[in-house]
Amino acid sequence: MSAEPLSTGAAGAEPAGADRVRPEPARPERADLERLSRDRARLAAARTLLFVPGHRPDRFEKAAAAGADAVIIDLEDAVAPDGKDTARRHAADRLARGGDAVVRINAPGTPWWDADLDLVTAFGCPVMLPKAEDPEVIARIAEVCAVIPLVETAAGIERALDVCCAPGVVRAAFGSVDLATELGVRHDDTLALAYARSRLVMACAAAGVAPPLDGVTTALDDADALAQDLEHARRLGFGGKLCIHPKQLPAVTAGFAPTDEELAWARKVLAAGDAVSAVDGVMVDRPVQERARRLLGVELTTGPAGEWA
């Protein structure tokens, strides 16, 4: 992947491969650092992120009111090439009015990269970075924006730990459809993508960031398919999911919530105290107590850099 811009996007075309040095973004002021911290904390705890096409501003308010933990204004896959500039303007209008949204920009090396980067750095809004492979690109954006790298290429999966360890990463997201296309497998084949999913979960854990977000379920009217995807993702260690329709939100929210049985177990473990070595005949040690605390939200914290305690 090359991060070299191909054009300015908004200001006119540059020859392919032209040298262009982008000024380094200004260091955030204190208020901006506080906003960054809030954005990272909110996104680290999110279970549901809902895409809305950037060229459909009529859907922005509906998406915001749908109940997702965060809304993603999509300037990439949902928008045709001839609609990119218009979608960017709609996103800018939304952000200028104080709209709270993540923006999925176009990937480095595309003709829209420069203009998209100008947009998100101007507003300091959270960013979803597609085709995430290069930690240096992530770190640069993260100086002013909370970043969710979307890992959806073979190279990105193989560099998952480097990507997740980049400064300012909140958590990663899994791009199942794009990766499946690159691999030549079905995007709903859980076996074919099991290695990639597990590697991303492991990378987030090793980097100390929040568990990753699973990719979309494209079957909008198949509740069983969504339920199966949720069960699989949670078993592997994902902490949330990308959604493409508001109807998916209730199931996803419930799918990543602790069950009644898990909560009852956690309360019993913590009520027993630190000195107890077994509960209901099962060994209890510090890692078991820590899991109980996480289930109950006792020690679910996110620091300024997005650490997952």
Side-chain angles (χ1 to χ4, degrees):
M1 178 193 74
S2 170
E4 183 177 346
L6 301 182
S7 79
T8 58
E14 291 181 352
D19 292 332
R20 182 170 185 265
V21 178
R22 173 175 295 279
E24 293 293 331
R27 293 288 179 178
E29 301 293 338
R30 180 178 179 83
D32 295 325
L33 291 173
E34 292 174 351
R35 172 187 50 76
L36 270 174
S37 179
R38 290 194 300 270
D39 285 344
R40 290 169 180 166
R42 176 172 61 89
L43 294 174
R47 299 175 191 166
T48 54
L49 280 78
L50 175 64
F51 283 109
V52 59
H55 65 292
R56 294 295 307 270
D58 55 306
R59 296 184 181 179
F60 289 0
E61 290 297 335
K62 295 178 181 178
D69 294 323
V71 171
I72 305 170
I73 297 178
D74 189 7
L75 305 183
E76 195 213 14
D77 284 348
V79 182
D82 61 359
K84 299 287 188 182
D85 292 342
T86 299
R88 191 183 309 108
R89 287 195 294 271
H90 289 319
D93 289 343
R94 171 72 180 174
L95 295 169
R97 294 196 303 269
D100 185 18
V102 179
V103 176
R104 177 163 75 167
I105 60 178
N106 288 278
T110 65
W112 312 284
W113 166 253
D114 279 354
D116 286 359
L117 193 58
D118 287 341
L119 168 71
V120 295
T121 54
F123 286 99
C125 62
V127 174
M128 175 168 283
L129 177 66
K131 310 297 188 293
E133 299 172 0
D134 189 344
E136 292 185 5
V137 172
I138 297 169
R140 191 173 188 178
I141 301 173
E143 290 189 1
V144 291
C145 303
V147 180
I148 298 176
L150 182 59
V151 183
E152 53 185 344
T153 65
I157 290 296
E158 291 305 302
R159 300 191 68 187
L161 182 57
D162 292 337
V163 167
C164 293
C165 284
V169 166
V170 176
R171 67 200 302 183
F174 182 53
S176 52
V177 177
D178 280 51
L179 180 61
T181 299
E182 182 178 358
L183 298 179
V185 300
R186 289 175 45 148
H187 69 270
D188 57 355
D189 187 333
T190 55
L191 178 60
L193 297 179
Y195 164 78
R197 280 190 165 96
S198 292
R199 180 149 185 163
L200 192 58
V201 169
M202 197 69 68
C204 283
V209 298
L213 301 158
D214 195 24
V216 300
T217 295
T218 58
L220 293 178
D221 298 316
D222 191 337
D224 290 338
L226 179 58
Q228 290 169 10
D229 286 352
L230 288 168
E231 181 181 6
H232 181 68
R234 189 173 178 192
R235 286 188 66 189
L236 290 178
F238 283 82
K241 187 172 177 65
L242 305 176
C243 302
I244 55 175
H245 196 283
K247 70 172 67 173
Q248 296 176 326
L249 297 176
V252 175
T253 298
F256 285 100
T259 65
D260 291 341
E261 292 78 8
E262 288 174 324
L263 292 175
W265 170 86
R267 293 188 186 99
K268 184 177 291 188
V269 167
L270 295 185
D274 294 341
V276 175
S277 60
V279 171
D280 292 340
V282 178
M283 183 190 76
V284 173
D285 57 7
R286 184 174 178 180
V288 173
Q289 292 170 338
E290 175 61 20
R291 179 171 182 269
R293 291 189 183 94
R294 289 192 181 191
L295 285 171
L296 294 175
V298 174
E299 292 188 358
L300 186 62
T301 59
T302 305
E307 294 90 348
W308 183 264

